[in-house]
Amino acid sequence: ETGVTQTPRHLVMGMTNKKSLKCEQHLGHNAMYWYKQSAKKPLELMFVYNFKEQTENNSVPSRFSPECPNSSHLFLHLHTLQPEDSALYLCASSLVTSGSTEAFFGQGTRLTVV
Amino acid sequence: DAKTTQPPSMDCAEGRAANLPCNHSTISGNEYVYWYRQIHSQGPQYIIHGLKNNETNEMASLIITEDRKSSTLILPHATLRDTAVYYCIVRSQGGSEKLVFGKGMKLTVNP
């Protein structure tokens, strides 16, 4: 248990569906991240939020829409996805300080697009 | 792009020490060395990090060379549950700096 909780753990959706992934942490962290991990590939950073503001978008297609309403919650809204978007989606959080701190990851949402 | 180089895989006997190498020859002065591991289909798990001094915690030890161009993660008594992909990452000071993952190294602990 890392303190970062992702729901749902598994999701199957059609290409015309709209769904959302949820991530929450109660660690007092103020930076949150979305990563994508496709089969047999390294983790790819998608989005970074610092103090609820998006500070990085790694050229992610607009069919992925993040939302960070507060420092404890992060969402990834999905619409009109493609089968190649099937992957493990991981959320992480960390504490912004002047020193070094580790990031903690959730267990991920396994997404299958059919 | 990842700034580290790791061998793709390594085997270790259960109960023996596992020494996992990592090269980071372009590391800069304010970059830390972080180690994470990922057990199949789970989220990455933080192991340890360091700047220039050797570090030890309940999971592992981290040995960083004096020139900081390489490091070794040591699992003192490997168990079957330590089988995972291990990632060595360099990350700048400041908690919001992103973690960039490479391909990592698959450690297999054999009975």
Side-chain angles (χ1 to χ4, degrees):
Chain A
E1 180 58 52
T2 62
V4 180
T5 304
Q6 290 187 243
T7 53
R9 292 293 306 277
H10 301 273
L11 179 62
V12 179
M13 61 185 288
M15 288 188 285
T16 58
N17 290 158
K18 290 184 179 180
K19 296 286 184 183
S20 296
L21 310 185
K22 180 182 177 182
C23 174
E24 62 181 302
Q25 56 87 14
H26 298 288
L27 301 169
H29 291 173
N30 42 33
M32 298 188 79
Y33 314 80
W34 278 117
Y35 284 83
K36 174 186 178 183
Q37 188 172 32
S38 302
K40 301 194 185 297
K41 287 188 176 181
L43 281 80
E44 302 171 53
L45 181 67
M46 300 175 72
F47 301 103
V48 179
Y49 276 82
N50 290 321
F51 297 95
K52 303 186 298 178
E53 298 298 320
Q54 186 181 123
T55 56
E56 184 150 349
N57 176 339
N58 255 5
S59 303
V60 180
S62 59
R63 57 186 183 270
F64 295 91
S65 175
E67 179 190 3
C68 189
N70 54 60
S71 293
S72 299
H73 294 85
L74 184 65
F75 295 89
L76 188 62
H77 303 300
L78 315 171
H79 63 97
T80 60
L81 294 193
Q82 304 298 311
E84 58 264 30
D85 296 322
S86 299
L88 180 67
Y89 288 85
L90 290 155
C91 171
S93 70
S94 67
L95 182 65
V96 178
T97 70
S98 59
S100 69
T101 62
E102 59 270 34
F104 293 95
F105 283 79
Q107 289 304 299
T109 295
R110 173 71 61 186
L111 174 68
T112 303
V113 181
V114 298
Chain B
D1 289 336
K3 301 180 182 179
T4 63
T5 304
Q6 300 175 256
S9 63
M10 176 181 290
D11 281 24
C12 176
E14 187 179 19
R16 305 294 295 270
N19 297 310
L20 287 65
C22 180
N23 287 324
H24 31 79
S25 58
T26 61
I27 193 170
S28 58
N30 68 341
E31 288 183 319
Y32 288 73
V33 180
Y34 281 76
W35 282 84
Y36 281 77
R37 71 181 182 184
Q38 187 176 24
I39 297 170
H40 182 63
S41 293
Q42 297 182 21
Q45 177 189 23
Y46 166 79
I47 301 173
I48 199 168
H49 74 280
L51 183 62
K52 52 184 177 182
N53 296 324
N54 297 336
E55 302 288 343
T56 296
N57 63 22
E58 65 278 5
M59 290 184 68
S61 295
L62 175 61
I63 308 298
I64 302 174
T65 57
E66 194 167 339
D67 63 8
R68 304 212 318 125
K69 293 185 177 182
S70 65
S71 60
T72 302
L73 180 74
I74 301 173
L75 307 178
H77 305 286
T79 71
L80 300 180
R81 288 179 295 180
D82 291 323
T83 292
V85 178
Y86 285 77
Y87 298 96
C88 171
I89 301 167
V90 295
R91 184 188 190 201
S92 295
Q93 181 174 333
S96 65
E97 190 64 29
K98 59 190 177 186
L99 286 167
V100 177
F101 287 79
K103 296 180 180 179
M105 188 200 80
K106 176 65 183 294
L107 173 70
T108 302
V109 181
N110 299 305

